[in-house]
Amino acid sequence: MSESVIASQRGIDVAALQRVHFDRDAPLLEVDDLHVEFHTRDGTAKAVNGVSFTLHEGETLGILGESGCGKSVTAQAIMGILDIPPARVAGGKILFRGVDLQKMEEKTRRHIRANKIAMIFQDALSALNPVFTVGWQLGEIYRKHTEASRSQAKAKAVELLDLVGIPAAKERVNSFPHQFSGGMRQRVMIAMALALEPDIIIADEPTTALDVTVQAQVMKLLSDLQQDYRMGLILITHDMAVMADVADKICVMYAGNAVEQADVHQIYSRPAHPYSKGLLESIPRVDMKGQELAAIKGLPPVLVDPPPGCPFHPRCTFARERCQEEKPELYDVPGDRRSACFFWEEVISS
Amino acid sequence: MGRYLIRRLLQFIPVLLGALFLLHYMTVVGIQISGDPVRALFGDNPPPESVLAAMRADYGLDNPCLDRRFDPCVAMFVERLGQYATGDFGIDLRQGRPITEHLGERFPTTMRLALIAVVFETVLGIALGVLAGLRKDRFVDNLVRASTVLLIAFPVFIIGTLIQVYVGVKLGNWIRGQDSMPDWFGQMFTVTYSADYPWLSLILPGLVLGAFSLAAIARLTRTSVIENLRADYVRTAKAKGMPGTRVVGVHTLRNSLIPVVTYIGFDIGNLMAGAVVTEGIFGVPGIGQFVFQGTQNKDAGIVVGTVTILVLVYLIFNLVVDLLYAVLDPRIRYD
Amino acid sequence: MTDPHSLEGILSKGEPGGSEPGPAAKERSRSLTADAIYELVRNPVFWVAGTLVVIVLTMAVVPGLWANQDPNVSAECDIQLAQRSPSWDRPFGYTTQGCSMWGAVVYGTRNSVFVAIAGTAAIAVIAITLGVIAGFYGRWIDSVLSRITDIFFGLPFILGAIILLTILTTRTVWTISAVITVFLWPQMTRIMRGATIATKQRDFVDAARAVGASNFRIIRKHIIPNSLAPVIVIGTINLGQLIAIESTLTFLGIGFQPPTVSWGLLIQAGAGPALGGTTHLLWIPCAFVVIATLSFILLGDVLRDALDPRMR
Amino acid sequence: MTTEASRPVEQPALGESAENVIEVTDLVKYFPLTRGILFKRTIGQVRAVDGISLQLRRGETLGVVGESGCGKSTFGRLLMGLERPTSGSIRLLGQETSRLNSTELRRMRRNIQIVLQDPYSSLDPRMTVGDIVGEPFDVHADVVPRKGRRKAVQDLLDVVGLNPDHINRYPHQFSGGQRQRIGVARALALKPEVIVCDEPVSALDVSVQAQVVNLFEKLQDEFDLSYIFIAHDLSVVRHIADRVAVMYLGKVVEIGTEKEIYEEPTHPYTQALLSAVPVPDPELRGHRDQIVLEGDVPSPANPPSGCRFRTRCWKAEEICAEQEPPLEERSDSAHPSACHFAKVRDVIHAVE
């Protein structure tokens, strides 16, 4: 949403966001060395352990990883909606247009949500409140972030539903979430994220709960909208195929660590980390009849008790003694990419 | 909504008839096992048999099926239903006045008492529950949890008698003895009901009556709030940039209250039973006291007639609560 | 494969709903029951409540162990001493009958606890049987049972008990237990039915059927062991509630009758004099009822925590 | 419409060949839709499976794919005897199984077993691994003598790649992938000819999924198993299946070899389904024939007349609403396809 529109708005809260000086030349989003910890009965789990990335306008960043790797936690840390406690941002910076969100007052920061950064969740049925109509839930955004009246908010909600391709939006606006199909509900979620035309949308497994044909519809809608509005999109998924279709660059996460960051073409053609390589080799492809799948042996580690050294070494085919003792940092690899593996050269050329 | 309403109303009829039949059957079996209540009324000093027989005939207790153990006496039930339909719920065995007449006199007092109890238990119960739920595992939460468990372990009659002795008599006498205290203030710490202070002297009994449910509502609200705070849609509300008060007050509370509303419907039954005890202890001339005296005097006419009416009230209340439930939860409304 | 609730994904070590957990680190094999016991023994509330429950139960079974004056033996009581307040000599004072208050409450335990145990046991047997039948076989059996429980739910318990006990003139532990059972079986049956339906829908029941297990085997080996937790919890809490209910009924004059000794009767007898100032006649039996009720409720509460971690 | 549903469907002439371990003919399963105030009465039917005919050959893997609600899981449960068919016939090793009594059904289950989807709820948490894997031996007491059961269970654990010493552990001590292996061991216990795999890997993480898929392939070679492999993940099915049946709203719309279905799909639904599957190769972005379907799947309680796919089909004409297209070979479809206008269209490869 443009600054001028905000200026036209009244109210103490909105003024708070106006006082913030966003640097229009700074990248849309910069995450620098983010650490998130969870305190549990069994000890402290380092859910996110030093993740950094940058997102520019109109760009799609993919965060790829299996369940429990910390990708959703990263997203929630950016949004500022972690449950604290047990979670705690233990370090790092989150800069939106050069402004550190961590240092922002909560009453200002909450206007960043929806206005600047919005989020789409995986399971739309549970992410939508069952006791309110979707129109009410959409309109709430306008009523609480702008000075829209109830009827204006409702009109806006109808517009949004129409925009995301929900037929008969005028009538459907009064329906409750459980009266929609899975795909339609996810469209409502997308509408909700788009409401204030944010600069960034974070989509956390947006199509995992959907059937493939519906997944195709939703992904198409999402990427069309992203291009129309030139938003930055952070797509979080475990699905390498979905990722290959939309992402510009990818950050692969494993056990709370970013293990590889690169352009989408590089990762899929020449992965520089054994984990990315293993993932690629273990998925069957619909367009090819492969041989035996090269599964990654073993299981991801328990986060409260990670293995010493490189977290991937117990499952790694490239592992040497050094990997058990020393944790590799993210090494710069030629071609503007990074890999957290001592032997990235070997991995690329293998 | 329409279909839900119709279905709920249609379900009401068999439950109503079933509950009334259950009441009838229990009375009948009780009489079949223990002998007729007219005889019991007089204890060791029975009047001549001819008098008893006349009384039995008056109260419809001369039906031969009452001599056959476990006979459901269906004909009698149908007859009773007809009487209920005309508003005839029997008469008390001693004075011979219609039960409904007694209840009419006593109804306003009991309503006041129930109102005090309901307001007390819902307002404070929900407030404590929300507070504890939001501060899970902190001091407030532990305090609420510990005190509510304790409260649940106190049967109403024990709280009632203890409060009467320690607050009503000991504290109350002291307050009433102070010249500086206004007269009405002492009436709040009453030992018994006083007709001069129809509201104030009901406050103490009202709190006693609501105590158990207060604890139950607080715990239920707490669990429900904790559960809902974890729900995905609460996270969505945060992600939408809603202020914390709104996330809790609108997005969490509305959902959390759904089970509480159900409980309150069920609780009306608790309140009725509690009123029997509380009104008995504090001498409140309400419907509960009427039942209390009926049991003390072994007046089956009073007990059966009044309880039947109370059950009707309870069922109607539950019906209303179920409809309210549908208003709160659209998933029920549009199933 | 999905990334469920991120928090659970991180915290879980193999609980359902969690993500791919790490290798089972602990070498020793722990069943869910063993896990529950492990949870229990670490909980101080369990020890406090458990000790109180054991004391209450021994008082009920062998009161002679705790008190040497049996109020049922009239020679032990002296009407001259009636209502005498506690002293160093007799820290609990005397009853309205001039018996030792301590002896009276200890010997009064049996009736209260017996009603609670008999009632709970009967309710549990009925509930498990009917609940499993209704939940497992469903269809018309379930419909009929559900409608019957609906009717019972239409009748508030104490009100129903008041009617039945006002008319029944013989009130022994058996009749009182029976009345309690008649009114409280639907609640537990509904819980067991719900638990059975929930268990039945889990895939391992299909898996057992797929290997050819009979209905009887499925009920015995899979349904009951996996549905029993709520019944155990509610049953324990009910033990406490029934003690409270029995004393309430007795207080109303429709439970035990003198000269039986029971907590409810002691409170009833003490309420009047207590208003006049001899408060020990009231608070001592009250304390017994409350402590006994509380210890069962607390035990049920910790059992719930141990048996069902999700309810915590 | 209801009468048409049971119309015989033409199949390649295979007859009662001994090669077929399973022959399904006109299989129908309707679930009653009930509503009631006091007692429930039937007000309609959900046509979960509505006239399926197909064969499973010995040693073969038949993939059954479709989206949620298409009836593929119900189909698997019917094969297992976990649901009784409304009509139609299932022949397992030449024996009719759809009308068996409980004793016969128990004997039948020595020949067919199932692996369920959810590795968490498919194992009884109160039993040890030994009890779970050994349960088939308890039920079929004559298979392995009591003394030998522990050894037999340990052998099974070994076969599926678990440590046999873990026999006394409980399911919650294992990970999802390991639990799925326990489920496979249980299915193998009675040495069945056929295993129905109902979404066996869809609850697993990608890296673990591959391990389990590999296990299925290994076991097939080792024990000469035939699989019915039910899944919504078309890539996994392509990897493991020899033949594939595509289901839509309770019906098989296309059936053929893996190559025929994936490379030369002729039914518009198959084409849409395949084109919707993303390919893990960014180079193909924008170079694939993508068909994005409009709208939602109709309710199986009230399916459209004629061809069930016509409401979302871009090829639909009047005839599609009037006549249900039989599943048969057609002029432009070398394998059976239930479309009046069946025609090959390659959708999974790059197009320039």
Side-chain angles (χ1 to χ4, degrees):
Chain A
M1 170 172 283
S2 68
E3 248 73 1
S4 59
V5 177
I6 290 181
S8 76
Q9 292 164 355
R10 157 194 67 93
I12 317 147
D13 293 322
V14 179
L17 200 56
Q18 272 183 289
R19 277 197 301 276
V20 183
H21 296 292
F22 295 111
D23 179 357
R24 293 195 134 280
D25 299 326
L28 208 45
L29 184 76
E30 254 184 295
V31 172
D32 183 26
D33 198 27
L34 182 69
H35 288 259
V36 182
E37 293 177 351
F38 278 83
H39 295 281
T40 77
R41 280 218 303 193
D42 302 313
T44 302
K46 291 186 172 163
V48 178
N49 200 359
V51 168
S52 310
F53 53 76
T54 311
L55 177 74
H56 298 278
E57 270 168 62
E59 193 176 49
T60 301
L61 169 77
I63 300 182
L64 182 73
E66 293 174 288
S67 45
C69 74
K71 53 191 194 298
S72 294
V73 178
T74 307
Q76 288 176 27
I78 296 169
M79 288 300 290
I81 55 169
L82 284 168
D83 290 319
I84 300 172
R88 187 174 79 92
V89 177
K93 281 192 218 135
I94 301 164
L95 306 172
F96 175 80
R97 292 261 188 235
V99 177
D100 191 344
L101 297 183
Q102 294 288 109
K103 292 192 180 131
M104 204 176 258
E105 269 185 84
E106 175 55 28
K107 66 176 182 195
T108 315
R109 188 173 184 189
R110 78 175 177 80
H111 281 283
I112 295 279
R113 299 176 204 138
N115 268 311
K116 304 285 182 192
I117 313 177
M119 189 156 174
I120 299 168
F121 295 96
Q122 170 185 340
D123 180 3
L125 181 59
S126 60
L128 291 169
N129 196 320
V131 304
F132 298 111
T133 63
V134 298
W136 187 93
Q137 295 186 57
L138 284 168
E140 189 186 23
I141 302 175
Y142 294 106
R143 288 193 287 117
K144 297 299 150 187
H145 286 288
T146 75
E147 56 182 359
S149 67
R150 265 172 197 277
S151 58
Q152 285 168 329
K154 190 156 182 184
K156 283 283 204 179
V158 175
E159 261 174 54
L160 274 176
L161 291 182
D162 212 34
L163 178 75
V164 295
I166 288 179
K170 251 206 174 84
E171 288 87 63
R172 297 299 268 162
V173 76
N174 293 321
S175 299
F176 290 91
H178 71 275
Q179 296 172 303
F180 287 83
S181 70
M184 289 295 151
R185 272 197 292 266
Q186 200 53 278
R187 284 172 192 264
V188 173
M189 281 303 291
I190 292 174
M192 201 173 270
L194 276 176
L196 298 180
E197 296 172 24
D199 298 340
I200 303 174
I201 286 192
I202 304 178
D204 186 358
E205 303 265 10
T207 57
T208 306
L210 306 175
D211 276 322
V212 272
T213 55
V214 184
Q215 166 172 291
Q217 296 170 354
V218 170
M219 283 316 295
K220 183 165 183 328
L221 173 70
L222 196 57
S223 53
D224 286 354
L225 288 168
Q226 183 209 3
Q227 270 158 28
D228 292 353
Y229 292 93
R230 275 195 66 70
M231 293 179 292
L233 174 67
I234 299 182
L235 177 70
I236 294 171
T237 180
H238 68 275
D239 190 328
M240 300 203 74
V242 169
M243 195 64 103
D245 253 0
V246 283
D248 299 318
K249 56 186 191 184
I250 290 179
C251 169
V252 182
M253 286 187 71
Y254 183 78
N257 297 279
V259 292
E260 181 171 1
Q261 291 181 332
D263 173 67
V264 63
H265 300 281
Q266 290 169 332
I267 292 224
Y268 283 82
S269 55
R270 313 232 95 185
H273 192 280
Y275 177 63
S276 331
K277 189 176 164 67
L279 275 184
L280 268 175
E281 286 168 356
S282 63
I283 42 168
R285 288 178 59 157
V286 74
D287 59 338
M288 279 186 221
K289 177 88 171 172
Q291 297 306 302
E292 193 192 0
L293 296 175
I296 305 175
K297 66 183 180 189
L299 300 164
V302 179
L303 287 177
V304 288
D305 183 26
C310 170
F312 189 63
H313 86 255
R315 307 177 71 188
C316 183
T317 46
F318 294 86
R320 323 263 163 89
E321 223 165 274
R322 183 182 177 195
C323 306
Q324 297 171 24
E325 289 148 14
E326 197 184 332
K327 189 175 165 184
E329 53 184 284
L330 259 183
Y331 297 103
D332 280 325
V333 176
D336 192 26
R337 55 197 294 203
R338 275 165 289 280
S339 163
C341 179
F342 299 120
F343 311 106
W344 55 266
E345 280 177 307
E346 207 177 304
V347 180
I348 290 180
S349 56
S350 68
Chain B
M1 187 74 190
R3 183 184 293 146
Y4 176 80
L5 192 83
I6 290 167
R7 203 181 59 199
R8 195 61 196 75
L9 283 172
L10 284 176
Q11 265 172 356
F12 178 70
I13 295 164
V15 169
L16 178 74
L17 287 178
L20 287 179
F21 178 74
L22 198 62
L23 272 179
H24 158 80
Y25 189 53
M26 282 181 339
T27 337
V28 166
V29 170
I31 293 171
Q32 286 161 350
I33 291 177
S34 294
D36 78 88
V38 174
R39 180 78 184 66
L41 208 57
F42 296 98
D44 295 334
N45 238 334
E49 188 55 37
S50 59
V51 177
L52 285 177
M55 281 181 81
R56 277 189 208 111
D58 280 357
Y59 305 135
L61 295 169
D62 53 353
N63 198 317
C65 86
L66 288 176
D67 297 329
R68 296 190 292 268
R69 280 204 170 184
F70 302 108
D71 185 324
C73 298
V74 177
M76 229 177 129
F77 176 59
V78 174
E79 198 184 318
R80 272 196 189 177
L81 280 184
Q83 289 168 351
Y84 292 159
T86 60
D88 174 8
F89 287 86
I91 49 178
D92 71 282
L93 297 188
R94 281 172 203 274
Q95 301 170 10
R97 277 178 76 200
I99 300 292
T100 42
E101 221 177 280
H102 283 287
L103 296 190
E105 289 164 11
R106 290 165 177 271
F107 177 73
T109 317
T110 298
M111 257 342 266
R112 286 199 302 275
L113 180 70
L115 196 66
I116 291 172
V118 167
V119 168
F120 167 64
E121 69 181 43
T122 47
V123 172
L124 199 60
I126 291 174
L128 286 177
V130 170
L131 200 66
L134 292 178
R135 300 258 178 281
K136 183 173 182 282
D137 291 331
R138 311 263 192 87
F139 176 74
V140 184
D141 181 31
N142 289 330
L143 191 71
V144 169
R145 267 161 62 199
S147 51
T148 49
V149 165
L150 196 65
L151 211 50
I152 286 173
F154 272 88
V156 178
F157 81 100
I158 289 187
I159 303 190
T161 42
L162 288 177
I163 294 256
Q164 191 183 31
V165 169
Y166 289 99
V167 179
V169 177
K170 301 223 159 175
L171 181 65
N173 279 349
W174 180 78
I175 289 172
R176 283 184 288 272
Q178 303 299 107
D179 293 336
S180 55
M181 298 281 181
D183 190 32
W184 59 265
F185 187 72
Q187 284 303 320
M188 281 172 61
F189 301 90
T190 179
V191 182
T192 55
Y193 175 74
S194 140
D196 297 338
Y197 297 93
W199 286 95
L200 285 178
S201 63
L202 281 178
I203 286 181
L204 205 55
L207 300 192
V208 168
L209 180 56
F212 179 89
S213 307
L214 164 81
I217 290 177
R219 289 180 80 84
L220 196 61
T221 310
R222 172 186 177 271
T223 321
S224 184
V225 164
I226 289 172
E227 222 165 72
N228 280 295
L229 278 176
R230 279 198 215 123
D232 284 354
Y233 51 78
V234 169
R235 205 192 312 149
T236 310
K238 287 187 202 160
K240 272 159 60 174
M242 294 300 130
T245 47
R246 192 175 170 83
V247 170
V248 173
V250 177
H251 288 268
T252 312
L253 206 56
R254 165 84 181 265
N255 300 279
S256 304
L257 287 186
I258 292 173
V260 178
V261 166
T262 323
Y263 176 80
I264 291 173
F266 163 79
D267 186 51
I268 301 299
N270 271 343
L271 277 186
M272 287 174 172
V276 174
V277 177
T278 317
E279 291 186 1
I281 291 172
F282 286 93
V284 179
I287 296 169
Q289 188 200 39
F290 191 51
V291 178
F292 183 77
Q293 287 167 350
T295 60
Q296 304 281 320
N297 301 332
K298 301 186 173 55
D299 190 329
I302 290 178
V303 175
V304 176
T306 314
V307 169
T308 306
I309 291 176
L310 288 181
V311 166
L312 290 178
V313 172
Y314 173 71
L315 288 173
I316 291 168
F317 238 103
N318 265 295
L319 185 68
V320 172
V321 166
D322 268 9
L323 300 182
L324 186 61
Y325 182 71
V327 171
L328 278 176
D329 192 342
R331 286 165 295 184
I332 301 293
R333 205 162 28 184
Y334 299 100
D335 62 337
Chain C
M1 159 177 289
T2 55
D3 201 26
H5 306 277
S6 49
L7 180 57
E8 269 186 31
I10 289 153
L11 304 184
S12 68
K13 275 184 151 181
E15 276 95 343
S19 54
E20 193 69 15
K26 294 179 189 115
E27 268 316 306
R28 112 194 99 108
S29 181
R30 279 212 331 236
S31 67
L32 291 185
T33 320
D35 268 346
I37 291 170
Y38 178 76
E39 286 286 330
L40 277 182
V41 297
R42 290 195 334 167
N43 191 339
V45 179
F46 168 73
W47 290 106
V48 174
T51 311
L52 286 172
V53 163
V54 169
I55 290 174
V56 170
L57 290 179
T58 52
M59 277 183 182
V61 180
V62 271
L65 209 63
W66 295 91
N68 46 19
Q69 286 193 313
D70 182 350
N72 298 312
V73 183
S74 51
E76 300 270 6
C77 305
D78 182 354
I79 198 73
Q80 300 282 305
L81 297 169
Q83 300 199 10
R84 191 158 297 182
S85 296
S87 60
W88 279 113
D89 200 30
R90 281 254 165 239
F92 289 83
Y94 290 86
T95 67
T96 47
Q97 304 295 311
C99 310
S100 155
M101 178 59 95
W102 173 249
V105 286
V106 168
Y107 276 86
T109 311
R110 176 171 293 172
N111 281 326
S112 300
V113 171
F114 186 90
V115 166
I117 292 178
T120 305
I123 291 167
V125 169
I126 295 173
I128 292 172
T129 318
L130 294 183
V132 166
I133 291 173
F136 188 79
Y137 292 98
R139 295 168 185 273
W140 67 270
I141 303 180
D142 187 30
S143 295
V144 169
L145 267 170
S146 298
R147 295 297 83 82
I148 292 174
T149 51
D150 279 353
I151 288 170
F152 273 86
F153 275 108
L155 204 60
F157 163 64
I158 296 268
L159 293 184
I162 284 175
I163 285 207
L164 197 44
L165 286 169
T166 305
I167 291 167
L168 276 178
T169 41
T170 44
R171 297 174 201 137
T172 62
V173 283
W174 298 109
T175 48
I176 295 174
S177 311
V179 168
I180 286 175
T181 310
V182 162
F183 285 103
L184 290 186
W185 69 269
Q187 176 207 8
M188 188 95 109
T189 304
R190 212 177 248 197
I191 290 165
M192 187 67 194
R193 169 182 174 272
T196 303
I197 290 175
T199 308
K200 190 178 119 184
Q201 284 164 351
R202 292 173 69 182
D203 284 353
F204 60 75
V205 172
D206 272 341
R209 188 166 288 141
V211 301
S214 61
N215 281 343
F216 180 66
R217 184 188 162 89
I218 289 173
I219 289 175
R220 193 168 48 93
K221 285 269 188 183
H222 300 284
I223 300 279
I224 290 182
N226 282 290
S227 312
L228 220 47
V231 172
I232 293 172
V233 171
I234 307 283
T236 313
I237 292 175
N238 264 0
L239 280 172
Q241 297 276 308
L242 291 196
I243 290 175
I245 284 170
E246 179 277 312
S247 55
T248 304
L249 294 176
T250 303
F251 178 82
L252 286 174
I254 49 175
F256 291 115
Q257 306 292 310
T260 320
V261 195
S262 94
W263 292 344
L265 282 173
L266 285 169
I267 297 172
Q268 193 193 33
L275 284 173
T278 37
T279 52
H280 80 277
L281 291 176
L282 180 64
W283 72 260
I284 291 174
C286 282
F288 267 70
V289 173
V290 169
I291 290 172
T293 308
L294 184 63
S295 52
F296 281 109
I297 291 177
L298 283 177
L299 192 64
D301 225 34
V302 294
L303 275 175
R304 180 201 321 262
D305 285 356
L307 290 175
D308 190 353
R310 274 164 308 167
M311 290 168 92
R312 205 174 292 156
Chain D
M1 189 48 233
T2 326
T3 44
E4 267 183 338
S6 54
R7 180 198 331 196
V9 174
E10 279 183 44
Q11 285 286 314
L14 280 158
E16 298 272 319
S17 153
E19 281 302 293
N20 287 343
V21 284
I22 290 182
E23 282 176 26
V24 174
T25 318
D26 289 337
L27 189 62
V28 173
K29 176 69 186 178
Y30 290 171
F31 291 103
L33 258 179
T34 57
R35 181 181 293 153
I37 287 150
L38 265 191
F39 296 95
K40 307 232 176 281
R41 67 203 159 79
T42 307
I43 55 157
Q45 317 233 272
V46 175
R47 303 169 177 207
V49 169
D50 203 359
I52 289 185
S53 302
L54 49 76
Q55 296 85 30
L56 176 71
R57 294 166 199 153
R58 186 176 300 279
E60 169 190 67
T61 301
L62 174 67
V64 178
V65 297
E67 295 178 285
S68 44
C70 73
K72 57 187 192 300
S73 281
T74 307
F75 176 60
R77 294 171 60 81
L78 286 166
L79 292 182
M80 261 322 290
L82 291 173
E83 303 281 358
R84 291 296 176 114
T86 306
S87 69
S89 129
I90 305 167
R91 297 178 79 84
L92 174 68
L93 303 173
Q95 184 201 14
E96 178 63 46
T97 70
S98 54
R99 313 264 180 283
L100 296 181
N101 66 31
S102 58
T103 324
E104 294 163 342
L105 207 56
R106 187 172 312 157
R107 284 208 66 81
M108 172 200 105
R109 283 170 172 152
R110 294 201 184 175
N111 295 322
I112 184 163
Q113 274 301 317
I114 191 163
V115 176
L116 295 158
Q117 170 178 2
D118 183 351
Y120 292 98
S121 102
S122 63
L123 307 178
D124 188 336
R126 298 193 176 268
M127 287 177 133
T128 63
V129 172
D131 292 337
I132 291 168
V133 177
E135 184 164 31
F137 300 144
D138 285 348
V139 175
H140 303 264
D142 52 323
V143 174
V144 178
R146 189 167 288 277
K147 272 189 197 159
R149 284 185 195 165
R150 191 182 158 85
K151 178 77 177 61
V153 169
Q154 286 183 321
D155 289 347
L156 282 167
L157 291 180
D158 194 40
V159 164
V160 298
L162 291 171
N163 184 345
D165 296 338
H166 292 173
I167 185 164
N168 287 327
R169 287 194 176 184
Y170 287 86
H172 65 269
Q173 294 170 294
F174 293 89
S175 70
Q178 290 171 319
R179 283 161 161 252
Q180 208 55 316
R181 288 173 192 264
I182 297 170
V184 174
R186 169 174 58 195
L188 284 176
L190 298 172
K191 303 208 167 22
E193 304 256 353
V194 183
I195 295 186
V196 177
C197 311
D198 186 4
E199 303 263 11
V201 295
S202 47
L204 305 176
D205 262 330
V206 193
S207 66
V208 180
Q209 195 176 349
Q211 298 170 359
V212 177
V213 168
N214 288 341
L215 174 69
F216 277 115
E217 300 210 304
K218 184 194 102 169
L219 294 174
Q220 181 161 44
D221 296 343
E222 215 165 302
F223 297 98
D224 194 22
L225 293 166
S226 314
Y227 291 140
I228 298 275
F229 198 95
I230 298 165
H232 68 264
D233 186 330
L234 285 114
S235 323
V236 171
V237 170
R238 170 147 214 206
H239 182 82
I240 199 165
D242 303 311
R243 285 196 309 137
V244 178
V246 181
M247 283 185 72
Y248 185 77
L249 271 181
K251 289 195 175 285
V252 173
V253 295
E254 187 168 1
I255 186 166
T257 63
E258 163 266 313
K259 193 160 184 305
E260 285 165 342
I261 296 294
Y262 285 80
E263 312 263 335
E264 297 147 15
T266 60
H267 195 286
Y269 176 65
T270 315
Q271 292 160 358
L273 193 64
L274 282 172
S275 84
V277 180
V279 173
D281 187 348
E283 309 301 333
L284 295 178
R285 198 187 288 179
H287 298 292
R288 286 176 59 226
D289 182 9
Q290 285 218 327
I291 307 163
V292 176
L293 288 179
E294 300 288 318
D296 285 327
V297 185
S299 157
N302 186 21
S305 67
C307 171
R308 293 189 175 187
F309 186 58
R310 69 175 167 86
T311 52
R312 304 170 76 196
C313 185
W314 61 97
K315 283 183 169 176
E317 289 180 22
E318 241 162 69
I319 183 176
C320 302
E322 289 153 11
Q323 259 184 47
E324 189 182 339
L327 179 66
E328 63 188 12
E329 287 171 25
R330 292 157 191 277
S331 55
D332 281 328
S333 177
H335 56 273
S337 176
C339 174
H340 294 301
F341 309 107
K343 193 173 185 349
V344 174
R345 176 170 172 185
D346 180 8
V347 289
I348 58 172
H349 294 107
V351 287
E352 286 310 323

